Amino acid sequence: MASGNPLGFAAPAFLAARTPLDRLSTSGLLYLRSLLAGTPELHSSAGVVYLAHSPALIQRFAKFHARVACTDFARPMTADQIAELLGTACAHSGSYFPEALVLSPPELAARFVSDRIGPADHAQLELRLETRALTLRPHADGDGVDVVLNADSESQAGEEHLIASGDHVIIASAHDARHFEPMAAVPLRAVRGQRDGRRRLGGGARRAK
C-alpha cells in the first residue's frame, strides 16, 4: 500500500490469466488479511464491483471467472444485479468481490514503521521525510548493490549523498516513476490502481470501480 491517498481498497486484480501480477495481487491480499487480522481499528470490509465497461473488460472478466470458479471468492454479475446491489442504475455487467479491505495507506505505513504490526524485527525500517531520491548508482564494491543518492532539506544546493543501499530497490511513486531517470528504459505505462503497467502483465460501502 505505497500510497499517499487517505483511503484505499485492497482487492484482487481480476486478470484473465495466471501471471506474475496476478500472483502478486492475490498473495499480497491474502498476506494483508492475515497481517491485519488482529487490528480491526486499521481496516473494515466492503464489497467492490468492477464494471466491465468495454469489450476488452468483458472478455477479461469472463476468462477470470472461467479459471476461478469459486463464487464465494468473486462472482460475475449482470447490470441488473449490480443496480440492485448498489441501489442505482447501472448500464454495465461486472464482477463482484465481497470482501475487499478498506484502510488508510498512510496509517498502515506508520504502524509498520512503529513496529506495532507485521514481522517482529523492524530494526531496519527508517522513515525519511522531505527526502528526494535523485538517482540510483552501482555500489562501489561492484557486487551489484544499488545505491540511492539524494538531496534533501539539509543539503546544499546540488549536493548529493548516500541515503540508503541494499540488494533491491522498490520504487513506489505511482505515475512519478516515469519521470525518475533510472526508470527511463523500463516499459511502464500509467494504469489505474498504481500497479506495474507492463503490457504483457495486463493491465467499504459497496463501491463500483
Side-chain angles (χ1 to χ4, degrees), residues 40-53:
E41 73 280 5
L42 283 181
H43 73 281
S44 60
S45 295
V48 175
V49 175
Y50 289 74
L51 298 179
H53 50 73

Side-chain angles (χ1 to χ4, degrees), residues 4-164:
N5 295 329
L7 186 66
F9 285 80
F14 284 83
L15 299 179
R18 186 70 168 156
T19 64
L21 179 56
D22 178 76
R23 292 194 293 272
L24 175 64
S25 172
T26 303
S27 299
L29 179 62
L30 293 175
Y31 175 74
L32 189 59
R33 279 192 169 280
S34 174
L35 187 68
L36 298 179
T39 57
E41 73 280 5
L42 283 181
H43 73 281
S44 60
S45 295
V48 175
V49 175
Y50 289 74
L51 298 179
H53 50 73
S54 71
L57 284 177
I58 292 174
Q59 184 180 45
R60 184 178 114 187
F61 290 170
K63 289 182 178 179
F64 172 83
H65 289 292
R67 71 178 181 86
V68 182
C70 180
T71 56
D72 289 338
F73 176 76
R75 63 179 182 269
M77 300 186 75
T78 65
D80 289 342
Q81 289 173 325
I82 294 174
E84 182 179 357
L85 178 68
L86 299 180
T88 186
C90 181
H92 306 285
S93 62
S95 295
Y96 177 58
F97 180 66
E99 297 186 1
L101 294 176
V102 184
L103 40 77
S104 167
E107 175 64 18
L108 183 60
R111 292 289 289 270
F112 268 116
V113 173
S114 66
D115 200 20
R116 286 181 287 171
I117 62 172
D121 183 10
H122 281 185
Q124 297 186 43
L125 287 179
E126 178 185 1
L127 181 64
R128 296 288 297 267
L129 301 175
E130 298 183 9
T131 302
R132 182 170 63 92
L134 294 180
T135 190
L136 305 177
R137 293 182 181 173
H139 196 277
D141 61 16
D143 64 0
V145 176
D146 286 325
V147 176
V148 181
L149 299 168
N150 91 301
D152 60 22
S153 58
E154 298 179 356
S155 304
Q156 299 295 324
E159 180 184 352
E160 296 182 350
H161 65 276
L162 173 67
I163 56 170

